């Protein structure tokens, strides 16, 4: 039995036409069109291209949902073992279409996707975390080099073997930082790296610096006396007994607790945070999340009121990806509830 | 300063009725250890057990690991300023029970410490699966406040290591390692053409279970300070039982600091190793500015051309690490950092809590959130239910048959940021 490959190309490589045809709707043909033909010839009789999806780049990018509805419908029907898209080289809209298709196919159908793109194609960043993307030249002149690489990668994925390192199996790193054993201990590698720097030799950092998001501050609250203020903390402050079993480090969840009847956290809360000296926080939990002061302010009319739910998680060792997710989830709840401002404390 | 570490290879470990070391076989008299530790009125009960490499034994929750030694010549036998009189450490002759380790266990407060598996999958991840471990379970009297409780356990472990170390007093070493470094003028006169290198070792200094100690002084209480590498190798720096087991620097790792040893190995050949700067990791912003400025100033003042900086812990100390790096690189000092990373279970999250473009040379010692599966043990020393509440574990991560699924966070020494172990990270 041969594995089934479904191929995706844009209007140009699908031989529909150039820029003037970029608006054509997606169609499926049960044959090999354009690069699908050359690709099929590289599959060593182990797999075959069963058909080609062709879609105008403008149509895909301007009508993404409609395009994907059709495309996913076809793919579901044909049930291929793998989907191959492009190569898109440095064509931005084509790359974005390949990426959009790849993310949808992987997320919704769980079918792997192979593509090929130039390093600067904006589609690459969109889908590299999930799809297997081969690095190509910046123009269609690179087709002859791209297809064998994409075919080899496709065959390896189909064979069920675990992929090796990106450079070994010819795909661009997906951004998963995996822990591995190495021959030299860390201190020896540090000394070697320092010596290489002294000698002016090449060296490779093992941890390229991360790039941070910048979040613009919300506009100031005009009248605090009418504002509802919510209390949120990453200080691991939870109701005694930790009913939701929030982790003491590397949190996988957050908790929401009703504080409508509390004048303070003291007496009902404790910290399960593993990253600081808990003695003083447990003495007076409001030192970490100051509900007591907020209640005073509420009484004095400095603020309109304290939002009835308190949100909490553990900050220590918690991945930024989880933190971003928690922030979006909690932020949405607060926004939907009409909360005006948040006191967010860390430890 | 000249220190001789006379290493007696430990080839086996057993319990017996007298403390002795013969032909590489270390016999532990549990009662001798118990009697010594029970002299502390805060200690209620002590249990002593052993765990040998390859045995299907799990030790949990581990507090500290300490190498048993005895000084046979020169000042300061033991941990000066802590369990022994204050003396200038760093010189003399020390008999080292090489391959043996005291491992302390017991609950303190909150959510602390890690696991050592002596066999199989778990053994790969920790450097302390290859040592012959004397496991000391310390139960203090009731009613101690948490800080006193922590101190009691910390001192008990150090004293146990001293008592056991005595067994090696008359032992013949299998090898002798000599560590000698003159003052910076002498060394620079000897090696005028070699680049001058300083090692900056950051120490967690953040409260209960988060402190390092130097000659018994809590690292929260000092400015960054210059220390001769021999002092650390001779027991001047000890662990204050930090909670993230994977990257706490145990006392054993201070006594055998791999960055110091690897720099020593290059001294006089490719570099001129000037010394160690111990830098506290403080919690306040003003504190961070003060210590980072001060650290860079010390390195500059010493004329360093290259610096290796190792972190302890993660999260806010990432900022200290990168602030020190920026200051050094801005002064033209080539800087290499050693850190671990918090890249999430899938390894797809941002690895550090801070960033700076000057950090161009970084050694990664692994992702603390990498998840490992540890098969059930035949024997558990301590309490394996502790895994649910310690950093790197969670409710339900201990299965009924004794299998543990946890993050490297919980495995002692796995992502050691002094580069003691063999993990790295690769991007896939």
């Amino acid at each position: 039995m041969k594995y089934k490959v479904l191929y995706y190309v844009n209007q140009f490589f699908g031989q529909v036409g150039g820029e003037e045809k970029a608006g054509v709707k997606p169609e499926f043909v049960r044959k090999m069109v354009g690069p699908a033909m050359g690709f099929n010839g590289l599959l060593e009789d182990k797999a075959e291209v069963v058909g080609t999806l062709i879609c105008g780049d403008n149509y895909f990018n301007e009508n993404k949902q409609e395009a994907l509805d059709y495309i996913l419908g076809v793919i579901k029907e044909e049930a291929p073992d793998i989907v191959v898209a492009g190569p898109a080289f440095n064509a931005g809209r084509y790359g974005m279409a390949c990426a959009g298709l790849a993310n949808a196919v992987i997320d919704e159908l769980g079918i792997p996707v192979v593509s090929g793109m130039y390093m600067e194609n904006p589609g690459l960043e969109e889908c590299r975390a999930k799809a297997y993307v081969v690095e190509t030249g910046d123009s269609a002149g690179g087709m002859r080099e791209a297809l064998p690489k994409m075919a080899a990668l496709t065959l390896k994925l189909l064979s069920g073997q675990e992929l090796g390192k990106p450079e070994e199996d010819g795909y661009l790193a997906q951004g998963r930082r995996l822990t591995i054993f190495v021959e030299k201990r860390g201190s020896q590698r540090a000394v070697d790296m320092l010596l290489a720097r002294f000698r002016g030799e090449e060296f490779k950092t093992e941890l390229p610096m991360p790039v941070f998001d910048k979040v613009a501050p919300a506009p100031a609250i005009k009248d605090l006396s009418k504002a509802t203020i919510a209390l949120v903390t990453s200080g691991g402050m939870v109701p005694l007994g930790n009913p939701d079993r929030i982790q003491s480090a590397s949190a996988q969840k957050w908790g929401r607790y009703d504080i409508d009847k509390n004048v303070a956290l003291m007496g009902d809360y404790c910290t399960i945070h593993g990253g600081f000296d808990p003695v003083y926080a447990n003495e007076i939990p409001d030192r970490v999340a100051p509900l007591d002061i907020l209640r005073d302010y509420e009484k004095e009319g400095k603020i309109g009121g304290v939002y009835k739910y308190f949100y909490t998680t553990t900050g220590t060792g918690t991945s930024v990806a989880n933190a971003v997710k928690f922030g979006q989830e909690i932020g949405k709840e607060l926004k939907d509830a009409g909360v005006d401002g948040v006191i967010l404390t860390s430890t | 300063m000249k220190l001789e570490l006379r290493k007696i290879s430990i080839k086996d470990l057993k319990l017996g009725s007298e403390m002795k070391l013969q032909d590489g076989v270390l016999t532990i008299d549990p009662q001798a250890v118990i009697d010594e530790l029970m002299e502390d009125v805060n200690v209620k009960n002590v249990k002593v057990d052993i765990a040998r490499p390859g045995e299907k034994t799990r030790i949990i929750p581990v507090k500290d690991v300490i190498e048993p030694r005895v000084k046979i010549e020169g000042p300061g036998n033991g941990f000066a300023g802590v369990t022994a009189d204050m003396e200038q450490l760093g010189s003399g002759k020390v008999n080292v029970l090489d391959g043996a380790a005291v491992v302390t266990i017991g609950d303190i407060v909150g959510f602390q410490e890690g696991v050592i598996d002596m066999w199989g999958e778990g053994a790969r991840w920790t450097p302390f699966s290859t040592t012959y471990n004397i496991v000391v379970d310390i139960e203090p009297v009731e009613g101690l406040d948490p800080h006193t409780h922590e101190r009691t356990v910390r001192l008990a472990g150090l004293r146990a290591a001293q008592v056991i170390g005595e067994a090696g007093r008359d032992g013949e070493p299998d090898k002798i390692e000599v560590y000698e470094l003159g003052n910076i003028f002498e060394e620079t006169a000897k090696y005028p053409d070699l680049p001058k290198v300083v090692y900056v070792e950051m120490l967690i200094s953040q409260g209960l279970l988060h402190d390092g100690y130097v000659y018994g002084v809590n690292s929260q209480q000092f400015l960054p300070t210059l220390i001769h590498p021999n002092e650390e190798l001779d027991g001047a720096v000890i662990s204050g039982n930090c909670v993230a087991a994977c990257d706490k620097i145990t006392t054993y790792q201070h006594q055998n600091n791999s960055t110091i040893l690897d720099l020593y190995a290059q001294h006089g050949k490719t570099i001129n190793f000037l010394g160690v700067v111990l830098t506290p990791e403080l919690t306040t912003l003003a504190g961070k500015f003060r210590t980072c400025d001060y650290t860079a100033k010390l390195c500059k003042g010493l004329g360093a051309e290259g610096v290796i900086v190792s972190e302890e812990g993660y999260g806010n100390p990432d900022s200290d690490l990168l602030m020190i790096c920026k200051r050094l690189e801005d002064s033209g000092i080539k800087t290499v950092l050693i850190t671990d990373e918090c890249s999430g279970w899938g390894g797809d999250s941002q690895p550090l809590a801070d960033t700076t473009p000057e950090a161009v040379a970084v050694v990664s010692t692994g992702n603390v959130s990498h998840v490992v599966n540890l098969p059930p043990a035949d024997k558990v020393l301590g309490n394996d239910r502790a895994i649910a509440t310690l950093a790197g574990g969670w409710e339900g991560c201990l299965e009924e048959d004794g299998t543990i699924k946890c993050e490297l966070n919980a495995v002692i020494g796995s992502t050691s940021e002094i580069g003691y172990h063999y993990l790295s990270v690769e991007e896939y």
Side-chain angles (χ1 to χ4, degrees), chain B residues 329-343:
Chain B
E329 289 282 348
D330 285 350
S331 314
I333 298 172
K334 293 183 170 63
T335 306
V336 174
L337 309 178
I338 316 178
T339 180
D340 54 16
E341 46 186 277
C342 300
S343 306

Side-chain angles (χ1 to χ4, degrees), chain B residues 10 12-14 20-21 24-28 97 100 134 164 167:
Chain B
I10 301 302
D12 202 3
L13 174 66
K14 56 184 188 183
K20 69 174 179 193
L21 175 55
V25 180
L26 177 62
T27 307
I28 300 292
L97 277 55
I134 302 115
I164 293 163

Side-chain angles (χ1 to χ4, degrees), chain A residues 274-287:
Chain A
F276 64 90
D277 180 343
V279 171
Y280 309 103
N282 284 334
E283 246 169 46
I284 305 179
D286 301 76
R287 285 172 171 154

Side-chain angles (χ1 to χ4, degrees), chain B residues 1-16:
Chain B
M1 208 174 248
K2 183 177 170 185
L3 179 70
E4 239 183 74
L5 295 181
R6 300 153 53 86
K7 302 207 163 176
I8 307 164
S9 290
I10 301 302
K11 300 177 185 81
D12 202 3
L13 174 66
K14 56 184 188 183
L15 294 173

Side-chain angles (χ1 to χ4, degrees), chain B residues 195-216:
Chain B
K196 297 191 274 298
V197 175
V198 168
Y199 168 38
V200 172
E201 183 181 8
M202 297 167 59
L203 299 175
I204 286 204
S205 312
Q206 310 201 334
L208 179 64
L209 296 166
H210 290 82
D211 292 320
Y213 293 82
V214 181
Y215 289 108

Side-chain angles (χ1 to χ4, degrees), chain B residues 109-378:
Chain B
V109 58
F111 314 95
Q112 79 291 76
E113 305 309 339
V115 56
I116 296 173
D117 272 3
M118 299 301 293
W119 87 106
E121 174 65 13
R124 301 164 65 215
W125 299 100
T126 173
F128 301 112
S129 58
T130 54
T131 44
Y132 287 90
N133 294 331
I134 302 115
V135 182
V136 183
D137 191 344
I138 303 142
E139 189 191 338
V141 297
E142 278 110 40
L144 290 184
D145 67 84
H147 293 92
T148 310
H149 183 159
E150 185 277 323
R151 185 182 140 83
T152 301
V153 173
R154 173 159 40 88
L155 298 190
L158 299 172
R159 287 168 60 206
Q162 256 175 264
V163 178
I164 293 163
E166 282 291 338
R169 185 171 281 281
D170 302 320
E172 274 306 306
D174 296 279
K175 63 176 172 190
I176 297 176
E177 294 171 2
V178 179
Y179 296 97
E180 186 171 16
L181 207 57
N183 71 45
I184 61 173
F185 301 101
E186 292 163 351
E187 296 301 320
T188 306
K190 266 197 265 179
Y191 310 112
D193 300 327
L194 295 180
K196 297 191 274 298
V197 175
V198 168
Y199 168 38
V200 172
E201 183 181 8
M202 297 167 59
L203 299 175
I204 286 204
S205 312
Q206 310 201 334
L208 179 64
L209 296 166
H210 290 82
D211 292 320
Y213 293 82
V214 181
Y215 289 108
V217 180
N218 188 323
S219 56
Q220 283 181 59
Q221 292 162 349
F222 58 72
L223 287 166
T225 191
L226 181 67
I227 187 170
H228 193 289
N230 285 9
E231 296 178 82
E232 180 161 347
L233 298 179
D234 198 17
V237 187
I238 62 164
S239 166
N241 300 311
C242 176
V243 286
C246 63
D247 57 17
K248 71 175 271 171
I249 311 170
T250 61
T251 300
Y252 187 102
Q253 288 166 300
H254 285 300
Q255 294 168 298
N256 294 277
N257 188 312
S258 49
T259 301
I260 290 179
L261 297 180
D262 288 341
L263 285 171
Y264 243 127
Q266 293 299 321
H267 178 70
K269 294 178 191 155
T270 58
I271 60 164
N272 178 9
F273 181 21
L274 300 179
V276 181
V277 171
L278 298 172
T279 296
E281 299 168 355
L282 301 177
T283 49
T284 62
L285 187 60
K288 287 181 188 303
F289 278 118
R290 182 172 64 239
T291 52
C292 293
D293 286 348
Y294 210 101
T295 299
K297 182 201 69 183
L298 282 175
C299 295
K300 282 190 271 181
L302 291 165
E305 293 158 84
V307 170
I308 291 177
V309 191
S310 67
E311 188 178 354
E312 186 175 19
Y314 50 69
N316 77 73
D318 293 351
S319 291
D320 303 56
L321 177 78
L322 298 179
M323 284 162 67
I324 292 169
C325 176
K326 181 177 169 42
R327 283 156 175 71
L328 293 174
E329 289 282 348
D330 285 350
S331 314
I333 298 172
K334 293 183 170 63
T335 306
V336 174
L337 309 178
I338 316 178
T339 180
D340 54 16
E341 46 186 277
C342 300
S343 306
W345 283 6
D348 54 357
S349 184
Q350 189 174 284
L352 291 180
D354 205 346
T355 187
T356 188
E358 287 81 6
V360 294
V362 186
V363 167
S364 170
T365 56
N367 171 15
V368 304
S369 294
H370 178 86
V371 175
V372 291
N373 288 291
L374 309 178
D378 286 348

Side-chain angles (χ1 to χ4, degrees), chain A residues 167 176 245 277:
Chain A
E167 60 270 25
R176 281 176 296 126
R245 300 280 173 247
D277 180 343

